[in-house]
Amino acid sequence: MDLLLSTWKEIEAYLGHSKAIIVPLGSVEQHGPSGRIGTDVICPQAIAEGIAAGADALVGPAIAFGVCPFNLAFPGTISTRAATFMALIEDYVRSLARQGFERFYFLNGHGGNIAPVQAACQDLHAARSFNPQAKADRMRLRVRNWWEYPTVSRMRRELYGEWEGMHATPSEIAITQALHPDQTQGPRMSPPQRVSKEFLHAHAGDNHGSAEEHRRRFPDGRVGSDPSLANPEDGRRLLAAAVADGISDYRAFLVEP
Ligand code: NI
């Protein structure tokens, strides 16, 4: 079930049997020479729809904009500030919470969103603890990065090893290829650039710094990945695995005390 395609009567009826919603989080940013700019929202949106179909759940509108200031030197990238993104998350939750929604399952597609969505969840918990009247004790917020689902994580390692890299990864590109088969492989790419373990560690959560420096360092937008390994068949398998992992994780979330 999709909130944007529903009537308010249908949402009211849904609240009669579930107080949970899945919220895809993305970003609008370059994804290397072959990747679509919407990759980070296309992936969690499709996975969320699969989870909703398998677990009789509701998908809310994706928050397509994310925090990616380090990619602003690449044409087409649109970043929110972290504070804007947090405010969006908080307004989203507050709006639905007043109508009775209690469980928010954020399915994230972008590393730079991890810290701000977690911070927004902290703020929401803190705010409601000042308001004992709010039915807030029943509010539950869960954040998941689709690429960290256990089966997906294993497949990414098996399929691409270290060439999964950090950004414009073959796994995310493969999922978009499966969903949009007209996508070309893009231009021939130079050999991918290996990044060190130290770099991965220091830049976890897309902690990249200045946009100009980022583009100088990674001129075609890939960060340690080889997206030329992506293919639609891998994408279908990764998508199916993410949906299966997501359904069990979402079901566990529903019964989390
Ligand atoms: Ni991405």
Side-chain angles (χ1 to χ4, degrees), residues 31 40 109 167 172:
H31 268 78
D40 283 357
H167 180 66
E172 60 183 348

Side-chain angles (χ1 to χ4, degrees), residues 118-188:
Q118 283 170 343
C121 290
Q122 296 291 348
D123 280 358
L124 282 159
H125 284 303
R128 69 190 169 79
S129 60
F130 288 108
N131 180 5
Q133 250 116 60
K135 289 178 272 175
D137 285 330
R138 293 203 292 272
M139 191 193 282
R140 297 289 178 271
L141 306 160
R142 182 175 283 193
V143 180
R144 288 290 187 258
N145 303 311
W146 67 261
W147 63 91
E148 287 179 343
Y149 280 142
T151 314
V152 177
S153 208
R154 195 173 61 240
M155 284 175 67
R156 290 166 59 224
R157 261 196 317 275
E158 285 166 5
L159 287 168
Y160 310 121
E162 70 171 311
W163 291 122
E164 172 70 349
M166 188 171 185
H167 180 66
T169 64
S171 62
E172 60 183 348
I173 304 297
I175 290 176
T176 64
Q177 288 174 344
L179 293 165
H180 298 279
D182 57 320
Q183 183 173 20
T184 66
Q185 281 293 330
R188 271 181 89 86

Side-chain angles (χ1 to χ4, degrees), residues 46-240:
I47 297 162
E49 285 169 8
I51 297 171
D56 192 20
L58 174 67
V59 182
I63 299 184
F65 295 113
V67 183
C68 51
F70 47 88
N71 270 324
L72 284 171
F74 292 93
T77 298
I78 304 171
S79 179
T80 67
R81 285 164 287 171
T84 312
F85 183 74
M86 287 176 63
L88 266 172
I89 299 272
E90 293 183 34
D91 289 348
Y92 199 122
V93 169
R94 284 168 187 268
S95 299
L96 293 175
R98 69 180 287 163
Q99 302 148 15
F101 282 91
E102 293 173 351
R103 288 177 192 246
F104 294 81
Y105 188 92
F106 293 102
L107 187 59
N108 179 40
H110 172 63
N113 293 345
I114 299 172
V117 66
Q118 283 170 343
C121 290
Q122 296 291 348
D123 280 358
L124 282 159
H125 284 303
R128 69 190 169 79
S129 60
F130 288 108
N131 180 5
Q133 250 116 60
K135 289 178 272 175
D137 285 330
R138 293 203 292 272
M139 191 193 282
R140 297 289 178 271
L141 306 160
R142 182 175 283 193
V143 180
R144 288 290 187 258
N145 303 311
W146 67 261
W147 63 91
E148 287 179 343
Y149 280 142
T151 314
V152 177
S153 208
R154 195 173 61 240
M155 284 175 67
R156 290 166 59 224
R157 261 196 317 275
E158 285 166 5
L159 287 168
Y160 310 121
E162 70 171 311
W163 291 122
E164 172 70 349
M166 188 171 185
H167 180 66
T169 64
S171 62
E172 60 183 348
I173 304 297
I175 290 176
T176 64
Q177 288 174 344
L179 293 165
H180 298 279
D182 57 320
Q183 183 173 20
T184 66
Q185 281 293 330
R188 271 181 89 86
M189 292 177 219
S190 52
Q193 186 181 349
R194 188 171 268 119
V195 293
S196 67
K197 280 215 168 65
E198 292 70 36
F199 180 93
L200 289 174
H201 186 73
H203 296 259
D206 284 346
N207 184 19
H208 288 306
S210 130
E212 284 65 35
E213 191 191 314
H214 189 63
R215 181 162 174 178
R216 260 197 308 279
R217 184 153 189 187
F218 301 103
D220 71 4
R222 291 174 286 174
V223 180
S225 66
D226 185 1
S228 72
L229 299 173
N231 62 78
E233 180 48 32
D234 285 359
R236 277 187 284 279
R237 290 179 51 214
L238 286 159
L239 188 56

